[in-house]
């Protein structure tokens, strides 16, 4: 056991382990739950904006599903975070509460996998729009978008089945009372398969794909800007309002995507690497690193899921105008209700005065 601890300390660095332990015991739950609540509200705003008629498009369809899934991810993480980090550790939970927390955790993993699928779809769609603009209408139409979104829901569910099957609830007696614990089944193959799927297929590989797409997008945009500058300076391509508007729209959408991809890589790539190492070495060396540092990175992933509204609002003029129009409409409804209420109260007061 001492050699195993030394190996873990050498590979993961004792300082990082201490930080991870301190964070999970004193900060994690109290930080994660407010982030989840605020992020859920922000993602609800995203859904409301992207479902407006003027916003409907293949890319907006992906944004809508992505925001809705992220909304569910954040809501599902709240009870799990409360049980893991906030409740009193000496308080034994009943079986139903432990089962509910396990189901919330499994649902969060499934929804997060779907969110990753949608992020990859969004990246590929934007890559096609930038690199092959003439093929965008043919390849990235609404029908193809909806079919691939539905495929993602089904495929991610199938991929998460091993993870759901690898965990179980065991009953133990501690200090004379019954305690229910969520543990991995005693099956090394299933354990390794779970971390291969979760760490490699759902985190590391998407991170590599998105890193490649981000790189290609940046290179293509730089080449496109140089080419556009040459064409406009030589008067071969006129600076018509239509051309300028389309170019600005593509540039803004691409900037939004690059910001989203950057946040995704920061949050997901480290967990993917730790998950792969844990699958290779099983319990002996990397699980403690994964368990401790993973909690900090989980918070980073929650922040990533929560701040998309801010990214969309700052980088997309259409999103900003639609949101402000929608919010103004709600505000006008409430202001009308206030006016009506004042009139009613005024009439009631005047009638009472006349009776007196």
């Amino acid at each position: 056991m001492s050699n195993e601890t030394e190996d873990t300390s050498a590979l993961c660095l004792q300082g990082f382990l201490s930080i991870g332990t301190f964070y999970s015991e004193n900060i994690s739950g109290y930080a994660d739950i407010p982030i989840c609540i605020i992020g859920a509200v922000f993602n609800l705003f995203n859904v409301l904006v992207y479902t407006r008629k003027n916003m409907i498009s293949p890319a907006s369809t992906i944004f809508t599903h992505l925001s809705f899934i992220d909304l569910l991810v954040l809501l599902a993480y709240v009870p799990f975070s409360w049980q893991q980090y906030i409740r009193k550790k000496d308080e034994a939970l009943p079986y139903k509460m432990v089962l509910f927390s396990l189901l919330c955790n499994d649902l969060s993993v499934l929804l997060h996998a779907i969110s990753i699928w949608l992020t990859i779809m969004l990246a590929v769609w934007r890559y096609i729009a930038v690199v092959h603009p003439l093929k965008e209408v043919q390849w990235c139409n609404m029908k193809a978008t909806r079919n691939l979104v539905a495929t993602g829901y089904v495929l991610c569910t199938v991929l998460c089945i091993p993870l759901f099957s690898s965990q179980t609830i065991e009953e133990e007696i501690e200090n004379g009372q019954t305690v229910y614990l969520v543990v991995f089944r005693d099956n090394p193959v299933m354990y390794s398969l779970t971390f291969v799927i979760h760490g490699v297929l759902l985190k590391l590989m998407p991170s590599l794909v998105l890193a490649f797409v981000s790189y290609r997008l940046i290179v293509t945009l730089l080449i496109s800007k140089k080419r556009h500058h040459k064409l406009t300076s030589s008067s071969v391509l006129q600076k018509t309002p239509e051309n300028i508007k389309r170019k600005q729209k593509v540039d803004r959408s691409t900037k939004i995507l690059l910001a989203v991809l950057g946040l995704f890589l920061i949050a997901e790539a480290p967990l993917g690497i730790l998950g792969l190492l844990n699958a290779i070495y099983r319990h002996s060396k990397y699980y403690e690193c994964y368990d401790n540092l993973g909690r900090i990175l989980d918070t980073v992933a929650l922040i990533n899921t929560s701040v998309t509204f801010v990214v969309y609002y700052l980088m997309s003029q259409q999103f900003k105008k639609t949101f402000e129009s929608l919010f103004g409409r709600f505000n006008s409804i409430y202001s009308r209700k206030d006016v009506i209420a004042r009139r009613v109260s005024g009439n009631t007061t005047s009638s009472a005065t006349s009776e007196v």
Side-chain angles (χ1 to χ4, degrees):
M1 178 66 87
S2 59
N3 292 334
E4 189 172 309
T5 305
E6 291 175 2
D7 290 339
T8 305
S9 301
L11 290 166
C12 203
L13 299 179
Q14 190 63 35
F16 285 121
L17 287 176
S18 300
I19 293 173
T21 302
F22 175 82
Y23 181 82
S24 63
E25 292 179 353
N26 300 280
I27 301 175
S28 183
Y30 301 98
D32 292 346
I33 292 180
I35 291 172
C36 288
I37 295 173
I38 295 172
V41 174
F42 279 172
N43 279 284
L44 180 60
F45 287 157
N46 293 339
V47 173
L48 291 175
V49 171
Y50 278 117
T51 51
R52 299 304 94 190
K53 290 183 179 180
N54 65 308
M55 296 290 291
I56 294 177
S57 68
S60 294
T61 300
I62 302 175
F63 276 125
T64 302
H65 282 272
L66 184 59
S67 298
F68 179 69
I69 290 298
D70 287 345
L71 168 63
L72 296 180
V73 168
L74 294 167
L75 292 179
Y77 197 82
V78 170
F80 172 78
S81 182
W82 173 82
Q83 182 183 332
Q84 288 291 111
Y85 308 120
I86 295 181
R87 72 173 181 86
K88 295 179 180 179
K89 297 301 180 181
D90 56 352
E91 179 186 349
L93 291 175
Y95 177 83
K96 291 182 179 179
M97 286 295 298
V98 177
L99 177 61
F100 177 72
S101 178
L102 175 60
L103 293 177
C104 286
N105 183 46
D106 289 344
L107 178 63
S108 179
V109 171
L110 171 60
L111 294 173
H112 194 63
I114 298 172
S115 176
I116 291 172
W117 172 273
L118 294 172
T119 304
I120 293 176
M121 269 191 67
L122 190 62
V124 173
W125 257 226
R126 185 50 49 195
Y127 178 79
I128 293 173
V130 173
V131 180
H132 305 288
L134 299 178
K135 297 290 186 180
E136 181 186 8
V137 177
Q138 179 183 354
W139 292 351
C140 306
N141 53 58
M142 289 295 294
K143 183 178 180 180
T145 301
R146 288 168 179 165
N147 289 338
L148 279 177
V149 168
T151 301
Y153 280 84
V154 175
L155 181 61
C156 292
T157 302
V158 173
L159 286 176
C160 287
I161 289 176
L163 174 63
F164 302 155
S165 304
S166 66
Q167 293 178 309
T168 186
I169 300 176
E170 289 187 354
E171 178 181 330
E172 294 184 1
I173 305 297
E174 293 183 3
N175 300 325
Q177 62 178 352
T178 304
V179 177
Y180 298 98
L181 301 174
V182 178
V183 297
F184 282 98
R185 297 182 187 275
D186 189 14
N187 187 331
V189 176
M190 182 66 70
Y191 179 86
S192 297
L193 180 62
T194 297
F195 279 92
V196 166
I197 293 175
H198 188 258
V200 180
L201 295 182
L202 298 182
K203 291 187 181 294
L204 189 58
M205 285 185 62
S207 297
L208 294 175
V209 171
L210 293 176
F212 173 76
V213 172
S214 301
Y215 169 75
R216 291 297 304 164
L217 278 173
I218 293 172
V219 171
T220 304
L221 282 175
L222 292 175
I223 295 174
S224 177
K225 284 186 177 181
K226 290 181 180 179
R227 187 182 302 164
H228 185 78
H229 179 71
K230 289 181 180 179
L231 291 174
T232 52
S233 61
S234 62
S235 300
V236 175
L237 180 63
Q238 295 182 353
K239 293 184 177 180
T240 62
E242 292 78 9
N243 289 335
I244 295 174
K245 186 176 180 180
R246 184 185 183 281
K247 184 179 182 301
Q248 289 176 345
K249 184 177 180 180
V250 172
D251 287 347
R252 282 196 299 267
S253 299
T254 305
K255 288 178 181 177
I256 293 174
L257 176 63
L258 290 175
V260 172
L261 296 186
L263 293 171
F264 178 89
L265 292 174
I266 293 172
E268 303 295 342
L271 277 180
I273 296 172
L274 287 174
L276 174 62
L277 295 174
N278 189 39
I280 295 173
Y281 294 98
R282 297 181 184 175
H283 294 274
S284 58
K285 296 181 180 180
Y286 286 97
Y287 183 76
E288 192 174 355
C289 302
Y290 184 90
D291 190 42
N292 281 273
L293 298 183
R295 294 172 186 178
I296 299 176
L297 295 174
D298 280 344
T299 302
V300 176
L302 292 175
I303 295 174
N304 173 34
T305 304
S306 301
V307 300
T308 50
F309 169 79
V310 179
V311 175
Y312 301 157
Y313 185 86
L314 293 178
M315 293 190 175
S316 173
Q317 290 296 322
Q318 187 180 9
F319 182 93
K320 182 178 180 179
K321 290 179 180 178
T322 304
F323 173 75
E324 291 176 350
S325 173
L326 184 64
F327 184 79
R329 196 177 307 163
F330 287 146
N331 193 27
S332 64
I333 291 173
Y334 284 114
S335 63
R336 288 175 187 172
K337 289 182 178 179
D338 291 339
V339 171
I340 294 172
R342 289 174 186 173
R343 288 178 181 176
V344 171
S345 62
N347 292 335
T348 304
T349 304
S350 60
S351 61
T353 303
S354 63
E355 289 178 2
V356 172

